[in-house]
Amino acid sequence: MAITETPKVKYFEGTSNPILSGTGGEIPIIIGISNNANPASGIQKFKNFSACNATVANGGLGTDTTNNPLLAFLKEFFEENKKNSSDELSVPYVYVIDLGTGMTTGETPTLKTADWTNAMALAKSKREVQAEVFVGFKKSHTVATITSLMDSAVDKIIDDSQTGNPRVAYFTIEGCTDAELKQIADDSQTNYIQNSRVGFCEYLLFGKTIANILNTPSEEEPGYTDYRSVSPGTFIERTPEEEDELQAAGVIFNRDERAGSEIHPRINLAVSTAFAASPDSRPNDALLHARRNVDQLIREAYMKLYTQLKRNETEININYLQSDLDVLVNAKIREGIMKDETDIIVVEDEVNPWDLHAEGVAVPVNSSLLIGFSMYIEQPNAISGGA
């Protein structure tokens, strides 16, 4: 019996804010520009803003949020990441790849595309990461260069997803008007991006937007709950027609939702850039609500399948594997995360005796995006009282 001290209550000085460093949120890796002349190499890990807000020599990203896009992003991110109650999700830490200026030198600086793509490859070494965030793009960097980089990010994410951890990439562009935002995923343009694994956000409060999305359960629409750290009146005022156009263009933006006497600062709708396709050709995962939900099922199913790798391919073992997958899927259906049509079936290869296949259909639960409410006023009774 390992009792070595007398009964007492002992106090320990905390090394981090327990309200801030919660759990449950998706882990991001943030790649971008800091304007540090000599940035730290490799991947850094931060649990709070005070750790970021230090000189490079002291393990931080600098102390100037005005001229340091990475630091400014993280300041917003950690403000929104702070929990208001114990049952809220929170990202426990973030990974960061500091690209310094991220630009070439000379009379006409351009993005160092090789540095960005190398960082995308390096980001795959952190296996718990579920989101990649790209910070520091400006209108002056040109849409062609930015969309080309995001195409590279998607290609690398899709290749890496074969190892069972699919991700979503997020980015914004500083200095764009709403008209220019609508062109990023417009397939009538020469350069554009439409992909269900890419979220394109308006620039204002990009850090808070990403924190909000990553702290939303994968089975829930990120626009369902209010921002934790944003007051009404902060966001850009747009007409309903302007909001409709931005949403249809595959842009994630924020707004004040007016519900009776209340105002709720929220994400409008977490669309991917694939949402910009015409309504009759949008992919089934054009909403991040669906994409993130199915990705979580993929991660969990992948780990069930991995237990069979190199194990004897007997009828009993295959039945065990099928049973494990059935338990997983049934739990998702029972919890209201997936619908009844969801199924994963283990199939033996008819040609290669060493191969197994898992074939499935994922049907994520919907969210209510338009609610019609009408009332008819009936003619009042001539007599208000009883007989």
Side-chain angles (χ1 to χ4, degrees), residues 27 123-124 126-132 156-168 197 295-296 298-300 302-303:
I27 306 297
K124 306 304 183 288
K126 296 300 181 183
R127 301 312 303 158
E128 73 272 38
V129 165
Q130 295 157 303
E132 298 183 6
K156 288 178 168 55
I157 284 173
I158 291 174
D159 287 344
D160 185 66
S161 67
Q162 295 180 28
T163 60
N165 187 28
R167 302 177 178 185
V168 175
R197 292 201 176 279
D295 280 355
Q296 186 57 33
I298 290 169
R299 294 183 189 105
E300 295 178 41
Y302 182 94
M303 295 313 297

Side-chain angles (χ1 to χ4, degrees), residues 164-206:
N165 187 28
R167 302 177 178 185
V168 175
Y170 301 91
F171 75 111
T172 189
I173 302 176
E174 182 181 356
C176 284
T177 63
D178 277 8
E180 290 164 332
L181 293 178
K182 290 186 288 187
Q183 294 179 351
I184 300 301
D186 183 353
D187 55 16
S188 70
Q189 304 295 310
T190 303
N191 302 103
Y192 68 94
I193 185 165
Q194 280 188 12
N195 194 284
S196 57
R197 292 201 176 279
V198 177
F200 176 57
C201 306
E202 66 175 335
Y203 176 73
L204 180 64
L205 298 185
F206 180 48

Side-chain angles (χ1 to χ4, degrees), residues 10-251:
K10 298 174 72 172
Y11 169 76
F12 298 94
E13 193 71 31
T15 57
S16 63
N17 186 339
I19 294 178
L20 181 65
S21 56
T23 58
E26 291 186 343
I27 306 297
I29 189 160
I30 302 152
I31 301 168
I33 293 172
S34 68
N35 289 323
N36 290 321
N38 297 296
S41 60
I43 300 175
Q44 295 172 274
K45 182 179 180 179
F46 299 108
K47 294 183 178 180
N48 50 54
F49 180 67
S50 62
C52 311
N53 191 31
T55 63
V56 175
N58 288 324
L61 297 169
T63 57
D64 180 7
T65 56
T66 302
N67 300 301
N68 186 324
L70 263 181
L71 192 65
F73 172 90
L74 287 163
K75 183 176 187 296
E76 291 181 0
F77 182 94
F78 281 113
E79 286 173 352
E80 179 64 22
N81 191 53
K82 184 176 179 179
K83 297 196 293 185
N84 292 325
S85 63
S86 60
D87 59 348
E88 289 180 331
L89 299 185
S90 183
V91 176
Y93 56 85
V94 302
Y95 290 113
V96 175
I97 299 178
D98 184 353
L99 297 181
T101 63
M103 305 285 291
T104 61
T105 56
E107 292 185 8
T108 55
T110 58
L111 288 170
K112 291 182 179 178
T113 55
D115 287 1
W116 289 84
T117 54
N118 289 339
M120 295 170 191
L122 178 61
K124 306 304 183 288
S125 64
K126 296 300 181 183
R127 301 312 303 158
E128 73 272 38
V129 165
Q130 295 157 303
E132 298 183 6
V133 186
F134 297 87
V135 175
F137 294 145
K138 294 184 178 181
K139 179 179 171 181
S140 59
H141 297 156
T142 74
V143 169
T145 303
I146 294 169
T147 54
S148 176
L149 281 173
M150 294 311 299
D151 279 329
S152 296
V154 171
D155 288 344
K156 288 178 168 55
I157 284 173
I158 291 174
D159 287 344
D160 185 66
S161 67
Q162 295 180 28
T163 60
N165 187 28
R167 302 177 178 185
V168 175
Y170 301 91
F171 75 111
T172 189
I173 302 176
E174 182 181 356
C176 284
T177 63
D178 277 8
E180 290 164 332
L181 293 178
K182 290 186 288 187
Q183 294 179 351
I184 300 301
D186 183 353
D187 55 16
S188 70
Q189 304 295 310
T190 303
N191 302 103
Y192 68 94
I193 185 165
Q194 280 188 12
N195 194 284
S196 57
R197 292 201 176 279
V198 177
F200 176 57
C201 306
E202 66 175 335
Y203 176 73
L204 180 64
L205 298 185
F206 180 48
K208 291 180 185 284
T209 302
I210 297 302
N212 190 336
I213 292 172
L214 301 188
N215 281 322
T216 301
S218 59
E219 69 275 10
E220 188 175 286
E221 163 55 42
Y224 176 63
T225 55
D226 291 12
Y227 274 89
R228 301 172 184 175
S229 63
V230 180
S231 300
T234 303
F235 299 135
I236 298 170
E237 281 283 340
R238 298 181 172 97
T239 65
E241 293 75 20
E242 290 170 336
E243 291 181 342
D244 288 344
E245 290 176 2
L246 269 185
Q247 176 179 292
V251 180

